[in-house]
């Protein structure tokens, strides 16, 4: 009997791991993002300074509000993935949208992603590293860009997703607004790929 319980527990764990490893589907479809292993890429931006035991929470009150960083790109860059760490997700399911915007000289900004880049997270009480991979690599030219995420929907009795807090000048774009409002914290969203020479 004990052996049967151990076997069932192993099969459930294996099925949960396999589900988490699914590839992300684009064009508005949503699936869980993949847990990442360590790989070598050029980084377009730094995460900032990590503050131990501090978190940035996304919950029902922060829906549709982008949090992200300005990135200075000095040479053409091919983006392969966006990566982030989630401290814990106590929500049963949370759906996020990633934005990549070009900042013009007059401060206006325009979305560069032709198709919505949506991803979801299931409940996990352990810290996890994740990445979101575009269907094809995104090439950006020298200039200033805004890269951030917004919570679209969240489900669960405890509807909250917590990211590690990093000290770094960042910007919030509130719902139904185009104004970039400065804040002094970030979730450590990183952009990886390769420089094009």
């Amino acid at each position: 009997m004990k052996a049967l319980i151990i076997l069932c527990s192993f099969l459930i764990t294996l099925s949960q791991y396999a589900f988490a490893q699914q590839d992300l589907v684009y064009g508005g479809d949503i699936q869980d993002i993949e847990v990442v292993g360590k790989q070598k890429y050029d980084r377009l931006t730094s995460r900032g300074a990590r503050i131990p035991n501090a978190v940035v929470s996304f919950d029902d009150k922060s829906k549709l509000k982008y949090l992200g960083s300005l990135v200075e790109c000095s040479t053409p860059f091919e983006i392969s993935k966006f990566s982030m760490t989630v401290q814990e997700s106590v929500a049963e399911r949370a759906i996020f949208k990633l934005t990549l915007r070009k900042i013009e000289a007059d401060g206006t900004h325009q979305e560069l992603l032709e198709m919505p880049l949506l991803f979801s997270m299931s409940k996990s009480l352990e810290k996890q590293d994740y990445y979101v991979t575009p269907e094809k690599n995104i090439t950006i030219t020298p200039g200033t860009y805004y890269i951030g995420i917004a919570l679209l929907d969240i489900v669960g009795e405890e509807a909250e997703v917590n990211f590690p807090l990093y000290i770094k000048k960042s910007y919030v774009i509130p719902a139904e607004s185009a104004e970039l409002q400065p804040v002094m914290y970030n979730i450590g969203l990183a952009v990886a790929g390769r420089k094009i020479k």
Side-chain angles (χ1 to χ4, degrees):
M1 183 66 177
K2 187 175 181 180
L4 180 60
I5 293 171
I6 292 172
L7 178 61
C8 289
S9 176
F10 173 76
L11 291 175
I12 290 169
T13 302
L14 186 63
S15 66
Q16 288 174 340
Y17 175 80
F19 181 73
Q21 297 298 314
Q22 293 183 47
D23 292 330
L24 179 61
V25 177
Y26 297 88
D29 292 331
I30 307 165
Q31 289 190 12
D32 286 322
I33 53 179
E34 188 174 345
V35 180
V36 332
K38 293 186 177 179
Q39 301 179 37
K40 291 186 177 179
Y41 292 93
D42 292 326
R43 283 188 181 269
L44 187 59
T45 181
S46 68
R47 293 178 183 269
R50 172 79 171 97
I51 303 300
N53 303 318
V55 297
V56 177
S57 297
F58 283 75
D59 56 25
D60 200 55
K61 290 182 262 184
S62 56
K63 277 184 184 178
L64 306 178
K65 182 189 295 184
Y66 284 102
L67 173 62
S69 304
L70 291 185
V71 176
E72 296 290 341
C73 181
S74 57
T75 60
F77 193 91
E78 187 177 69
I79 298 173
S80 300
K81 70 175 184 175
F82 303 89
S83 62
M84 67 200 82
T85 299
V86 175
Q87 190 69 27
E88 66 173 358
S89 175
V90 294
E92 293 300 325
R93 195 162 185 84
I95 301 172
F96 289 85
K97 180 180 181 183
L98 191 143
T99 188
L100 172 62
R101 305 180 183 198
K102 176 75 179 290
I103 307 294
E104 305 296 344
D106 62 0
T108 59
H109 44 89
Q110 180 179 1
E111 178 64 67
L112 296 181
L113 299 175
E114 295 179 4
M115 301 295 288
L117 189 45
L118 308 177
F119 59 95
S120 71
M121 295 175 186
S122 298
K123 186 171 183 176
S124 174
L125 300 182
E126 296 182 359
K127 186 166 71 172
Q128 298 274 12
D129 292 330
Y130 296 97
Y131 71 83
V132 180
T133 308
E135 188 175 43
K136 59 182 181 179
N137 289 351
I138 303 166
T139 301
I140 57 176
T141 57
T144 304
Y145 297 85
Y146 177 83
I147 300 170
I149 64 169
L151 177 66
L152 296 187
D153 195 21
I154 193 162
V155 178
E157 291 183 12
E158 296 181 84
E160 188 174 86
V161 178
N162 296 317
F163 294 83
L165 186 149
Y166 293 82
I167 295 297
K168 179 180 181 180
K169 187 174 182 181
S170 302
Y171 295 86
V172 168
I173 304 178
E176 301 178 2
S177 171
E179 182 184 356
L180 275 72
Q181 300 177 357
V183 293
M184 292 308 298
Y185 59 88
N186 193 268
I187 61 166
L189 177 63
V191 184
R194 66 182 184 89
K195 296 176 183 176
I196 301 174
K197 298 179 181 180

